[in-house]
Amino acid sequence: MRIGFIGVGGIAGNYRESLRKLGKPVAAVCDLNPQRVEEIAELEKASPHTDHHEMLAKEKLDVLFVAIPPGFHTTEVIDAARSGAALFVAKPIGLDWDLVRRTRDAIQEAGVLNQVGYMARYSDITEKARQVAGDRSLAMGVGRFLCRMGASHPWWGKLSLSGGQMLEQSTHVFDLLRYLVGEVQSVQAFGRKGVSSEGIADFEEVTVCNLHFLNGAVGNVTSTCVARANDGFAAELFGDDLYLHLTMDTQLRGNVGGEVIEFTGVETGYFRQVEQFLKAVEANDQNLVRSSYADASKTLAVTLAANRSLETGKVEEA
Ligand SMILES: NC(=O)c1ccc[n+]([C@@H]2O[C@H](COP(=O)([O-])OP(=O)(O)OC[C@H]3O[C@@H](n4cnc5c(N)ncnc54)[C@H](O)[C@@H]3O)[C@@H](O)[C@H]2O)c1
């Protein structure tokens, strides 16, 4: 299996580490940054490229990890799909709905196996939460992504490159709530800009987003990139005599029908998402994937609606 990367920045390091644990070597790497790509190519003993077209033409790759920031996406995933490689794409899959829709269709047309890096779907606590909730219906799902962003990613604080915190970061929470509660019909978001004195972001640095799910459930996602909260990524589920609190990555607690739930997971989802992807590739079975590109496009649609709502102040259809 010949594995390649488009984008070898921060999260690619995490994916490469999982591949290393699985004993899967990387054959080729591509990054716009020539210094970075040489450094990673040397570490991986892989061939370096700075142009993905050239890499796709020369390397005959079976599997491609695409790990580039949302605002940098052009046709990388479309070109990779047309090369016939199975695709693992970092979340969020882009900023531009038209491009994402065209990419989704190109993947379907090429018929290649595909997965998006929504690792929370692969964590022990998410599996356990689904198991203990069973077929009880969920009436409310709330979540949060609270952190203080540093300066490590110069693109992050720019709306035009990252899409803002809800689209880039809290996307994990929106996606997890979709996975656990159901499809989102409409959203209404509010936010405030200019909270940090050092200008962490040019977009809203605190946001709240109410959710109305198609099945009638309600919810909310609260986000900030200016506060050092210590259980930053968390979700809570509510139903009739049901309460579950997931603190990512490994803690689940709650009470279901009078039974106290206290569970500590081992697997955060980061490793398992890559392991599961390779199992799906080897079996050529898209059903083994919990987070396809087409599914991730629905999460993007929700966060794009949340961004529109920040501007209009109105309820927006997802
Ligand atoms: N937990 C997670 O799932 C998680 C965590 C961090 C980042 N991410 C996501 O991964 C993506 C990348 O984030 P990062 O933190 O690795 O960013 P990064 O800035 O560390 O690295 C991105 C790399 O992509 C390269 N790049 C950009 N466009 C390219 C192109 N067309 N061809 C080749 N290389 C290109 C850049 O030169 C850079 O080296 C983002 O979408 C981010 O949201 C996911």
Side-chain angles (χ1 to χ4, degrees), residues 6-12 15 30-33 36 50 52 67-70 72 74 76 90-92 117 119 153 155 168 172 270 273:
I6 302 179
V8 283
I11 194 62
Y15 302 153
C30 170
D31 200 289
L32 298 180
N33 179 335
R36 175 96 189 140
T50 50
H52 76 271
I68 64 181
F72 287 64
T74 58
E76 295 79 8
K91 58 36 72 176
M119 75 287 169
H153 294 75
W155 53 268
E168 201 281 337
H172 280 298
Y270 278 103
Q273 65 176 350

PDB file of all heavy atoms in Angstrom, residues 6-12 15 30-33 36 50 52 67-70 72 74 76 90-92 117 119 153 155 168 172 270 273, ligand 1:
ATOM      1  N   ILE A   6      -0.791  15.128   1.310  1.00  0.00           N
ATOM      2  CA  ILE A   6      -0.812  16.503   0.802  1.00  0.00           C
ATOM      3  C   ILE A   6      -0.995  17.378   2.042  1.00  0.00           C
ATOM      4  O   ILE A   6      -2.051  17.341   2.682  1.00  0.00           O
ATOM      5  CB  ILE A   6      -1.951  16.738  -0.211  1.00  0.00           C
ATOM      6  CG1 ILE A   6      -1.822  15.780  -1.396  1.00  0.00           C
ATOM      7  CG2 ILE A   6      -1.969  18.203  -0.672  1.00  0.00           C
ATOM      8  CD1 ILE A   6      -2.917  15.913  -2.461  1.00  0.00           C
ATOM      9  N   GLY A   7       0.052  18.131   2.398  1.00  0.00           N
ATOM     10  CA  GLY A   7       0.043  18.906   3.642  1.00  0.00           C
ATOM     11  C   GLY A   7       0.690  18.083   4.747  1.00  0.00           C
ATOM     12  O   GLY A   7       0.165  17.032   5.130  1.00  0.00           O
ATOM     13  N   VAL A   8       1.865  18.538   5.217  1.00  0.00           N
ATOM     14  CA  VAL A   8       2.540  17.813   6.306  1.00  0.00           C
ATOM     15  C   VAL A   8       2.836  18.771   7.469  1.00  0.00           C
ATOM     16  O   VAL A   8       3.949  18.863   7.962  1.00  0.00           O
ATOM     17  CB  VAL A   8       3.817  17.063   5.842  1.00  0.00           C
ATOM     18  CG1 VAL A   8       3.448  15.789   5.119  1.00  0.00           C
ATOM     19  CG2 VAL A   8       4.717  17.945   4.992  1.00  0.00           C
ATOM     20  N   GLY A   9       1.785  19.491   7.905  1.00  0.00           N
ATOM     21  CA  GLY A   9       1.907  20.368   9.066  1.00  0.00           C
ATOM     22  C   GLY A   9       1.542  19.616  10.338  1.00  0.00           C
ATOM     23  O   GLY A   9       1.804  18.410  10.466  1.00  0.00           O
ATOM     24  N   GLY A  10       0.912  20.343  11.265  1.00  0.00           N
ATOM     25  CA  GLY A  10       0.655  19.831  12.613  1.00  0.00           C
ATOM     26  C   GLY A  10      -0.124  18.531  12.668  1.00  0.00           C
ATOM     27  O   GLY A  10       0.365  17.508  13.168  1.00  0.00           O
ATOM     28  N   ILE A  11      -1.334  18.497  12.124  1.00  0.00           N
ATOM     29  CA  ILE A  11      -2.164  17.299  12.306  1.00  0.00           C
ATOM     30  C   ILE A  11      -1.627  16.128  11.494  1.00  0.00           C
ATOM     31  O   ILE A  11      -1.793  14.967  11.882  1.00  0.00           O
ATOM     32  CB  ILE A  11      -3.658  17.570  11.973  1.00  0.00           C
ATOM     33  CG1 ILE A  11      -4.550  16.438  12.500  1.00  0.00           C
ATOM     34  CG2 ILE A  11      -3.878  17.778  10.474  1.00  0.00           C
ATOM     35  CD1 ILE A  11      -4.552  16.245  13.984  1.00  0.00           C
ATOM     36  N   ALA A  12      -0.922  16.419  10.404  1.00  0.00           N
ATOM     37  CA  ALA A  12      -0.332  15.329   9.617  1.00  0.00           C
ATOM     38  C   ALA A  12       0.649  14.542  10.492  1.00  0.00           C
ATOM     39  O   ALA A  12       0.795  13.325  10.329  1.00  0.00           O
ATOM     40  CB  ALA A  12       0.366  15.882   8.375  1.00  0.00           C
ATOM     41  N   TYR A  15      -1.320  11.964  12.284  1.00  0.00           N
ATOM     42  CA  TYR A  15      -1.672  10.848  11.388  1.00  0.00           C
ATOM     43  C   TYR A  15      -0.433   9.988  11.099  1.00  0.00           C
ATOM     44  O   TYR A  15      -0.517   8.753  11.040  1.00  0.00           O
ATOM     45  CB  TYR A  15      -2.243  11.361  10.055  1.00  0.00           C
ATOM     46  CG  TYR A  15      -3.478  12.243  10.158  1.00  0.00           C
ATOM     47  CD1 TYR A  15      -3.761  13.200   9.178  1.00  0.00           C
ATOM     48  CD2 TYR A  15      -4.383  12.123  11.213  1.00  0.00           C
ATOM     49  CE1 TYR A  15      -4.890  14.004   9.248  1.00  0.00           C
ATOM     50  CE2 TYR A  15      -5.505  12.935  11.291  1.00  0.00           C
ATOM     51  CZ  TYR A  15      -5.744  13.881  10.309  1.00  0.00           C
ATOM     52  OH  TYR A  15      -6.858  14.682  10.382  1.00  0.00           O
ATOM     53  N   CYS A  30       3.837  15.842   0.143  1.00  0.00           N
ATOM     54  CA  CYS A  30       3.786  17.096  -0.612  1.00  0.00           C
ATOM     55  C   CYS A  30       3.394  18.219   0.338  1.00  0.00           C
ATOM     56  O   CYS A  30       2.463  18.054   1.146  1.00  0.00           O
ATOM     57  CB  CYS A  30       2.738  16.952  -1.722  1.00  0.00           C
ATOM     58  SG  CYS A  30       2.364  18.502  -2.543  1.00  0.00           S
ATOM     59  N   ASP A  31       4.107  19.327   0.268  1.00  0.00           N
ATOM     60  CA  ASP A  31       3.727  20.514   1.037  1.00  0.00           C
ATOM     61  C   ASP A  31       4.206  21.732   0.259  1.00  0.00           C
ATOM     62  O   ASP A  31       5.255  21.681  -0.412  1.00  0.00           O
ATOM     63  CB  ASP A  31       4.353  20.495   2.439  1.00  0.00           C
ATOM     64  CG  ASP A  31       3.624  21.419   3.399  1.00  0.00           C
ATOM     65  OD1 ASP A  31       3.751  22.658   3.241  1.00  0.00           O
ATOM     66  OD2 ASP A  31       2.919  20.918   4.306  1.00  0.00           O
ATOM     67  N   LEU A  32       3.456  22.812   0.354  1.00  0.00           N
ATOM     68  CA  LEU A  32       3.850  24.048  -0.335  1.00  0.00           C
ATOM     69  C   LEU A  32       5.126  24.619   0.258  1.00  0.00           C
ATOM     70  O   LEU A  32       5.830  25.366  -0.409  1.00  0.00           O
ATOM     71  CB  LEU A  32       2.728  25.095  -0.212  1.00  0.00           C
ATOM     72  CG  LEU A  32       1.381  24.753  -0.836  1.00  0.00           C
ATOM     73  CD1 LEU A  32       0.394  25.897  -0.621  1.00  0.00           C
ATOM     74  CD2 LEU A  32       1.540  24.461  -2.330  1.00  0.00           C
ATOM     75  N   ASN A  33       5.390  24.262   1.507  1.00  0.00           N
ATOM     76  CA  ASN A  33       6.578  24.777   2.202  1.00  0.00           C
ATOM     77  C   ASN A  33       7.761  23.833   1.928  1.00  0.00           C
ATOM     78  O   ASN A  33       7.814  22.722   2.459  1.00  0.00           O
ATOM     79  CB  ASN A  33       6.251  24.839   3.696  1.00  0.00           C
ATOM     80  CG  ASN A  33       7.412  25.329   4.533  1.00  0.00           C
ATOM     81  OD1 ASN A  33       8.565  25.199   4.140  1.00  0.00           O
ATOM     82  ND2 ASN A  33       7.094  25.881   5.687  1.00  0.00           N
ATOM     83  N   ARG A  36       9.793  22.469   4.956  1.00  0.00           N
ATOM     84  CA  ARG A  36       8.996  21.531   5.746  1.00  0.00           C
ATOM     85  C   ARG A  36       8.925  20.167   5.045  1.00  0.00           C
ATOM     86  O   ARG A  36       9.076  19.120   5.667  1.00  0.00           O
ATOM     87  CB  ARG A  36       7.593  22.141   5.925  1.00  0.00           C
ATOM     88  CG  ARG A  36       6.593  21.279   6.597  1.00  0.00           C
ATOM     89  CD  ARG A  36       6.510  21.576   8.086  1.00  0.00           C
ATOM     90  NE  ARG A  36       5.695  20.594   8.774  1.00  0.00           N
ATOM     91  CZ  ARG A  36       5.979  20.085   9.959  1.00  0.00           C
ATOM     92  NH1 ARG A  36       7.041  20.475  10.623  1.00  0.00           N
ATOM     93  NH2 ARG A  36       5.203  19.197  10.507  1.00  0.00           N
ATOM     94  N   THR A  50       6.504  19.529  -3.953  1.00  0.00           N
ATOM     95  CA  THR A  50       5.854  20.774  -3.550  1.00  0.00           C
ATOM     96  C   THR A  50       4.625  21.051  -4.416  1.00  0.00           C
ATOM     97  O   THR A  50       3.984  22.080  -4.266  1.00  0.00           O
ATOM     98  CB  THR A  50       6.834  21.977  -3.640  1.00  0.00           C
ATOM     99  OG1 THR A  50       7.442  21.940  -4.917  1.00  0.00           O
ATOM    100  CG2 THR A  50       7.875  21.929  -2.537  1.00  0.00           C
ATOM    101  N   HIS A  52       1.143  19.015  -5.744  1.00  0.00           N
ATOM    102  CA  HIS A  52       0.422  17.740  -5.615  1.00  0.00           C
ATOM    103  C   HIS A  52       0.145  17.088  -6.971  1.00  0.00           C
ATOM    104  O   HIS A  52       0.072  15.872  -7.069  1.00  0.00           O
ATOM    105  CB  HIS A  52      -0.862  17.917  -4.784  1.00  0.00           C
ATOM    106  CG  HIS A  52      -1.992  18.569  -5.513  1.00  0.00           C
ATOM    107  ND1 HIS A  52      -2.170  19.930  -5.547  1.00  0.00           N
ATOM    108  CD2 HIS A  52      -3.021  18.050  -6.245  1.00  0.00           C
ATOM    109  CE1 HIS A  52      -3.244  20.218  -6.260  1.00  0.00           C
ATOM    110  NE2 HIS A  52      -3.777  19.104  -6.694  1.00  0.00           N
ATOM    111  N   ALA A  67      -4.223  17.055   4.444  1.00  0.00           N
ATOM    112  CA  ALA A  67      -4.277  17.742   5.747  1.00  0.00           C
ATOM    113  C   ALA A  67      -3.839  19.191   5.565  1.00  0.00           C
ATOM    114  O   ALA A  67      -2.744  19.585   5.954  1.00  0.00           O
ATOM    115  CB  ALA A  67      -3.386  17.010   6.749  1.00  0.00           C
ATOM    116  N   ILE A  68      -4.700  19.958   4.908  1.00  0.00           N
ATOM    117  CA  ILE A  68      -4.398  21.376   4.656  1.00  0.00           C
ATOM    118  C   ILE A  68      -5.516  22.233   5.249  1.00  0.00           C
ATOM    119  O   ILE A  68      -6.648  21.767   5.386  1.00  0.00           O
ATOM    120  CB  ILE A  68      -4.196  21.651   3.141  1.00  0.00           C
ATOM    121  CG1 ILE A  68      -5.481  21.404   2.346  1.00  0.00           C
ATOM    122  CG2 ILE A  68      -3.078  20.780   2.584  1.00  0.00           C
ATOM    123  CD1 ILE A  68      -5.317  21.641   0.845  1.00  0.00           C
ATOM    124  N   PRO A  69      -5.213  23.476   5.610  1.00  0.00           N
ATOM    125  CA  PRO A  69      -6.231  24.316   6.253  1.00  0.00           C
ATOM    126  C   PRO A  69      -7.425  24.565   5.324  1.00  0.00           C
ATOM    127  O   PRO A  69      -7.267  24.570   4.087  1.00  0.00           O
ATOM    128  CB  PRO A  69      -5.475  25.619   6.546  1.00  0.00           C
ATOM    129  CG  PRO A  69      -4.026  25.224   6.572  1.00  0.00           C
ATOM    130  CD  PRO A  69      -3.887  24.125   5.560  1.00  0.00           C
ATOM    131  N   PRO A  70      -8.604  24.798   5.919  1.00  0.00           N
ATOM    132  CA  PRO A  70      -9.833  24.874   5.116  1.00  0.00           C
ATOM    133  C   PRO A  70      -9.773  25.899   3.984  1.00  0.00           C
ATOM    134  O   PRO A  70     -10.175  25.609   2.860  1.00  0.00           O
ATOM    135  CB  PRO A  70     -10.924  25.235   6.136  1.00  0.00           C
ATOM    136  CG  PRO A  70     -10.229  25.478   7.432  1.00  0.00           C
ATOM    137  CD  PRO A  70      -8.885  24.866   7.355  1.00  0.00           C
ATOM    138  N   PHE A  72      -7.328  26.835   2.261  1.00  0.00           N
ATOM    139  CA  PHE A  72      -6.293  26.543   1.260  1.00  0.00           C
ATOM    140  C   PHE A  72      -6.777  25.532   0.216  1.00  0.00           C
ATOM    141  O   PHE A  72      -6.085  25.276  -0.758  1.00  0.00           O
ATOM    142  CB  PHE A  72      -5.022  25.996   1.927  1.00  0.00           C
ATOM    143  CG  PHE A  72      -4.232  27.028   2.684  1.00  0.00           C
ATOM    144  CD1 PHE A  72      -4.774  27.660   3.796  1.00  0.00           C
ATOM    145  CD2 PHE A  72      -2.950  27.386   2.289  1.00  0.00           C
ATOM    146  CE1 PHE A  72      -4.046  28.621   4.505  1.00  0.00           C
ATOM    147  CE2 PHE A  72      -2.214  28.339   2.990  1.00  0.00           C
ATOM    148  CZ  PHE A  72      -2.771  28.957   4.106  1.00  0.00           C
ATOM    149  N   THR A  74      -8.202  23.874  -2.878  1.00  0.00           N
ATOM    150  CA  THR A  74      -8.651  24.191  -4.247  1.00  0.00           C
ATOM    151  C   THR A  74      -9.138  22.867  -4.847  1.00  0.00           C
ATOM    152  O   THR A  74     -10.233  22.437  -4.493  1.00  0.00           O
ATOM    153  CB  THR A  74      -7.542  24.877  -5.086  1.00  0.00           C
ATOM    154  OG1 THR A  74      -6.402  24.023  -5.150  1.00  0.00           O
ATOM    155  CG2 THR A  74      -7.147  26.214  -4.495  1.00  0.00           C
ATOM    156  N   GLU A  76      -7.284  19.899  -4.626  1.00  0.00           N
ATOM    157  CA  GLU A  76      -6.406  18.801  -4.164  1.00  0.00           C
ATOM    158  C   GLU A  76      -7.198  17.498  -3.998  1.00  0.00           C
ATOM    159  O   GLU A  76      -6.764  16.430  -4.440  1.00  0.00           O
ATOM    160  CB  GLU A  76      -5.745  19.157  -2.822  1.00  0.00           C
ATOM    161  CG  GLU A  76      -4.779  20.317  -2.862  1.00  0.00           C
ATOM    162  CD  GLU A  76      -5.489  21.677  -2.863  1.00  0.00           C
ATOM    163  OE1 GLU A  76      -6.728  21.714  -2.684  1.00  0.00           O
ATOM    164  OE2 GLU A  76      -4.804  22.692  -3.056  1.00  0.00           O
ATOM    165  N   ALA A  90      -8.507  15.782   6.433  1.00  0.00           N
ATOM    166  CA  ALA A  90      -8.653  16.420   7.741  1.00  0.00           C
ATOM    167  C   ALA A  90      -9.917  17.282   7.739  1.00  0.00           C
ATOM    168  O   ALA A  90     -10.298  17.841   6.706  1.00  0.00           O
ATOM    169  CB  ALA A  90      -7.425  17.286   8.042  1.00  0.00           C
ATOM    170  N   LYS A  91     -10.566  17.405   8.887  1.00  0.00           N
ATOM    171  CA  LYS A  91     -11.700  18.302   9.012  1.00  0.00           C
ATOM    172  C   LYS A  91     -11.203  19.719   9.174  1.00  0.00           C
ATOM    173  O   LYS A  91     -10.033  19.860   9.577  1.00  0.00           O
ATOM    174  CB  LYS A  91     -12.607  17.933  10.172  1.00  0.00           C
ATOM    175  CG  LYS A  91     -12.014  17.877  11.578  1.00  0.00           C
ATOM    176  CD  LYS A  91     -10.965  18.783  12.109  1.00  0.00           C
ATOM    177  CE  LYS A  91     -11.307  20.201  12.426  1.00  0.00           C
ATOM    178  NZ  LYS A  91     -10.234  21.001  13.042  1.00  0.00           N
ATOM    179  N   PRO A  92     -11.923  20.781   8.942  1.00  0.00           N
ATOM    180  CA  PRO A  92     -13.138  20.773   8.147  1.00  0.00           C
ATOM    181  C   PRO A  92     -12.725  20.661   6.691  1.00  0.00           C
ATOM    182  O   PRO A  92     -11.612  21.030   6.332  1.00  0.00           O
ATOM    183  CB  PRO A  92     -13.752  22.142   8.453  1.00  0.00           C
ATOM    184  CG  PRO A  92     -12.583  23.012   8.755  1.00  0.00           C
ATOM    185  CD  PRO A  92     -11.528  22.141   9.344  1.00  0.00           C
ATOM    186  N   GLY A 117     -11.469  13.252   9.116  1.00  0.00           N
ATOM    187  CA  GLY A 117     -10.879  13.079  10.445  1.00  0.00           C
ATOM    188  C   GLY A 117     -11.696  13.615  11.615  1.00  0.00           C
ATOM    189  O   GLY A 117     -11.174  14.398  12.416  1.00  0.00           O
ATOM    190  N   MET A 119     -12.337  12.594  14.677  1.00  0.00           N
ATOM    191  CA  MET A 119     -11.853  11.490  15.526  1.00  0.00           C
ATOM    192  C   MET A 119     -12.788  11.189  16.689  1.00  0.00           C
ATOM    193  O   MET A 119     -12.803  10.062  17.193  1.00  0.00           O
ATOM    194  CB  MET A 119     -10.424  11.776  16.022  1.00  0.00           C
ATOM    195  CG  MET A 119     -10.281  12.791  17.119  1.00  0.00           C
ATOM    196  SD  MET A 119     -10.552  14.469  16.506  1.00  0.00           S
ATOM    197  CE  MET A 119     -10.670  15.411  18.003  1.00  0.00           C
ATOM    198  N   HIS A 153      -0.465  28.755  14.497  1.00  0.00           N
ATOM    199  CA  HIS A 153      -1.029  28.638  13.151  1.00  0.00           C
ATOM    200  C   HIS A 153      -1.440  30.023  12.667  1.00  0.00           C
ATOM    201  O   HIS A 153      -2.546  30.479  12.976  1.00  0.00           O
ATOM    202  CB  HIS A 153      -2.253  27.721  13.161  1.00  0.00           C
ATOM    203  CG  HIS A 153      -1.926  26.316  13.495  1.00  0.00           C
ATOM    204  ND1 HIS A 153      -1.633  25.893  14.774  1.00  0.00           N
ATOM    205  CD2 HIS A 153      -1.824  25.222  12.707  1.00  0.00           C
ATOM    206  CE1 HIS A 153      -1.360  24.606  14.736  1.00  0.00           C
ATOM    207  NE2 HIS A 153      -1.469  24.172  13.511  1.00  0.00           N
ATOM    208  N   TRP A 155      -2.648  31.130  10.064  1.00  0.00           N
ATOM    209  CA  TRP A 155      -3.901  31.217   9.293  1.00  0.00           C
ATOM    210  C   TRP A 155      -5.131  31.155  10.189  1.00  0.00           C
ATOM    211  O   TRP A 155      -6.214  31.552   9.777  1.00  0.00           O
ATOM    212  CB  TRP A 155      -3.965  30.081   8.244  1.00  0.00           C
ATOM    213  CG  TRP A 155      -3.741  28.689   8.795  1.00  0.00           C
ATOM    214  CD1 TRP A 155      -2.558  28.028   8.871  1.00  0.00           C
ATOM    215  CD2 TRP A 155      -4.717  27.803   9.370  1.00  0.00           C
ATOM    216  NE1 TRP A 155      -2.720  26.783   9.443  1.00  0.00           N
ATOM    217  CE2 TRP A 155      -4.046  26.622   9.751  1.00  0.00           C
ATOM    218  CE3 TRP A 155      -6.094  27.881   9.582  1.00  0.00           C
ATOM    219  CZ2 TRP A 155      -4.702  25.537  10.349  1.00  0.00           C
ATOM    220  CZ3 TRP A 155      -6.747  26.800  10.171  1.00  0.00           C
ATOM    221  CH2 TRP A 155      -6.048  25.657  10.553  1.00  0.00           C
ATOM    222  N   GLU A 168     -14.052  25.899  12.004  1.00  0.00           N
ATOM    223  CA  GLU A 168     -12.756  25.211  12.014  1.00  0.00           C
ATOM    224  C   GLU A 168     -12.594  24.271  13.196  1.00  0.00           C
ATOM    225  O   GLU A 168     -12.049  23.184  13.061  1.00  0.00           O
ATOM    226  CB  GLU A 168     -11.627  26.263  12.027  1.00  0.00           C
ATOM    227  CG  GLU A 168     -10.286  25.738  11.532  1.00  0.00           C
ATOM    228  CD  GLU A 168      -9.520  24.929  12.552  1.00  0.00           C
ATOM    229  OE1 GLU A 168      -9.775  25.095  13.775  1.00  0.00           O
ATOM    230  OE2 GLU A 168      -8.678  24.117  12.170  1.00  0.00           O
ATOM    231  N   HIS A 172     -15.930  19.894  15.401  1.00  0.00           N
ATOM    232  CA  HIS A 172     -15.914  18.580  16.062  1.00  0.00           C
ATOM    233  C   HIS A 172     -17.177  18.398  16.917  1.00  0.00           C
ATOM    234  O   HIS A 172     -17.729  17.311  16.995  1.00  0.00           O
ATOM    235  CB  HIS A 172     -14.688  18.460  16.978  1.00  0.00           C
ATOM    236  CG  HIS A 172     -13.421  18.129  16.250  1.00  0.00           C
ATOM    237  ND1 HIS A 172     -13.238  16.973  15.540  1.00  0.00           N
ATOM    238  CD2 HIS A 172     -12.251  18.808  16.142  1.00  0.00           C
ATOM    239  CE1 HIS A 172     -12.017  16.937  15.024  1.00  0.00           C
ATOM    240  NE2 HIS A 172     -11.404  18.051  15.374  1.00  0.00           N
ATOM    241  N   TYR A 270      -8.039   9.349  17.995  1.00  0.00           N
ATOM    242  CA  TYR A 270      -7.010   9.775  17.033  1.00  0.00           C
ATOM    243  C   TYR A 270      -6.381   8.568  16.335  1.00  0.00           C
ATOM    244  O   TYR A 270      -6.226   8.552  15.120  1.00  0.00           O
ATOM    245  CB  TYR A 270      -5.917  10.593  17.727  1.00  0.00           C
ATOM    246  CG  TYR A 270      -6.284  12.040  17.919  1.00  0.00           C
ATOM    247  CD1 TYR A 270      -6.691  12.514  19.156  1.00  0.00           C
ATOM    248  CD2 TYR A 270      -6.221  12.934  16.860  1.00  0.00           C
ATOM    249  CE1 TYR A 270      -7.027  13.847  19.340  1.00  0.00           C
ATOM    250  CE2 TYR A 270      -6.553  14.266  17.031  1.00  0.00           C
ATOM    251  CZ  TYR A 270      -6.953  14.716  18.268  1.00  0.00           C
ATOM    252  OH  TYR A 270      -7.292  16.024  18.433  1.00  0.00           O
ATOM    253  N   GLN A 273      -9.163   6.235  14.393  1.00  0.00           N
ATOM    254  CA  GLN A 273      -9.711   6.712  13.110  1.00  0.00           C
ATOM    255  C   GLN A 273      -8.800   6.285  11.948  1.00  0.00           C
ATOM    256  O   GLN A 273      -9.292   5.907  10.881  1.00  0.00           O
ATOM    257  CB  GLN A 273      -9.928   8.227  13.120  1.00  0.00           C
ATOM    258  CG  GLN A 273      -8.652   9.048  13.246  1.00  0.00           C
ATOM    259  CD  GLN A 273      -8.875  10.554  13.166  1.00  0.00           C
ATOM    260  OE1 GLN A 273      -9.956  11.022  12.836  1.00  0.00           O
ATOM    261  NE2 GLN A 273      -7.843  11.318  13.473  1.00  0.00           N
TER     262      GLN A 273
HETATM  263  N1  LIG B   1      -8.103  17.158  15.811  1.00  0.00           N
HETATM  264  C1  LIG B   1      -8.139  17.350  14.527  1.00  0.00           C
HETATM  265  O1  LIG B   1      -8.854  16.672  13.815  1.00  0.00           O
HETATM  266  C2  LIG B   1      -7.290  18.434  13.937  1.00  0.00           C
HETATM  267  C3  LIG B   1      -6.314  19.067  14.701  1.00  0.00           C
HETATM  268  C4  LIG B   1      -5.540  20.063  14.107  1.00  0.00           C
HETATM  269  C5  LIG B   1      -5.789  20.431  12.772  1.00  0.00           C
HETATM  270  N2  LIG B   1      -6.784  19.803  12.081  1.00  0.00           N
HETATM  271  C6  LIG B   1      -7.115  20.217  10.702  1.00  0.00           C
HETATM  272  O2  LIG B   1      -6.067  19.862   9.811  1.00  0.00           O
HETATM  273  C7  LIG B   1      -5.938  20.844   8.786  1.00  0.00           C
HETATM  274  C8  LIG B   1      -4.495  21.337   8.789  1.00  0.00           C
HETATM  275  O3  LIG B   1      -4.217  21.887  10.041  1.00  0.00           O
HETATM  276  P1  LIG B   1      -2.737  21.878  10.639  1.00  0.00           P
HETATM  277  O4  LIG B   1      -2.896  22.188  12.086  1.00  0.00           O
HETATM  278  O5  LIG B   1      -2.023  20.657  10.259  1.00  0.00           O
HETATM  279  O6  LIG B   1      -2.152  23.149   9.864  1.00  0.00           O
HETATM  280  P2  LIG B   1      -0.614  23.542   9.637  1.00  0.00           P
HETATM  281  O7  LIG B   1      -0.621  24.983   9.298  1.00  0.00           O
HETATM  282  O8  LIG B   1       0.208  23.033  10.761  1.00  0.00           O
HETATM  283  O9  LIG B   1      -0.214  22.691   8.352  1.00  0.00           O
HETATM  284  C9  LIG B   1      -0.847  22.824   7.121  1.00  0.00           C
HETATM  285  C10 LIG B   1       0.184  22.505   6.049  1.00  0.00           C
HETATM  286  O10 LIG B   1      -0.491  22.422   4.797  1.00  0.00           O
HETATM  287  C11 LIG B   1       0.376  22.969   3.809  1.00  0.00           C
HETATM  288  N3  LIG B   1      -0.440  23.283   2.624  1.00  0.00           N
HETATM  289  C12 LIG B   1      -1.419  24.197   2.475  1.00  0.00           C
HETATM  290  N4  LIG B   1      -1.957  24.121   1.249  1.00  0.00           N
HETATM  291  C13 LIG B   1      -1.313  23.117   0.603  1.00  0.00           C
HETATM  292  C14 LIG B   1      -1.425  22.547  -0.695  1.00  0.00           C
HETATM  293  N5  LIG B   1      -2.322  22.980  -1.579  1.00  0.00           N
HETATM  294  N6  LIG B   1      -0.567  21.557  -1.027  1.00  0.00           N
HETATM  295  C15 LIG B   1       0.351  21.118  -0.144  1.00  0.00           C
HETATM  296  N7  LIG B   1       0.490  21.609   1.099  1.00  0.00           N
HETATM  297  C16 LIG B   1      -0.333  22.587   1.465  1.00  0.00           C
HETATM  298  C17 LIG B   1       1.017  24.161   4.503  1.00  0.00           C
HETATM  299  O11 LIG B   1       2.197  24.558   3.852  1.00  0.00           O
HETATM  300  C18 LIG B   1       1.261  23.578   5.893  1.00  0.00           C
HETATM  301  O12 LIG B   1       2.538  22.988   6.043  1.00  0.00           O
HETATM  302  C19 LIG B   1      -6.949  21.947   9.118  1.00  0.00           C
HETATM  303  O13 LIG B   1      -8.108  21.755   8.352  1.00  0.00           O
HETATM  304  C20 LIG B   1      -7.255  21.717  10.575  1.00  0.00           C
HETATM  305  O14 LIG B   1      -8.571  22.095  10.946  1.00  0.00           O
HETATM  306  C21 LIG B   1      -7.498  18.802  12.608  1.00  0.00           C
END
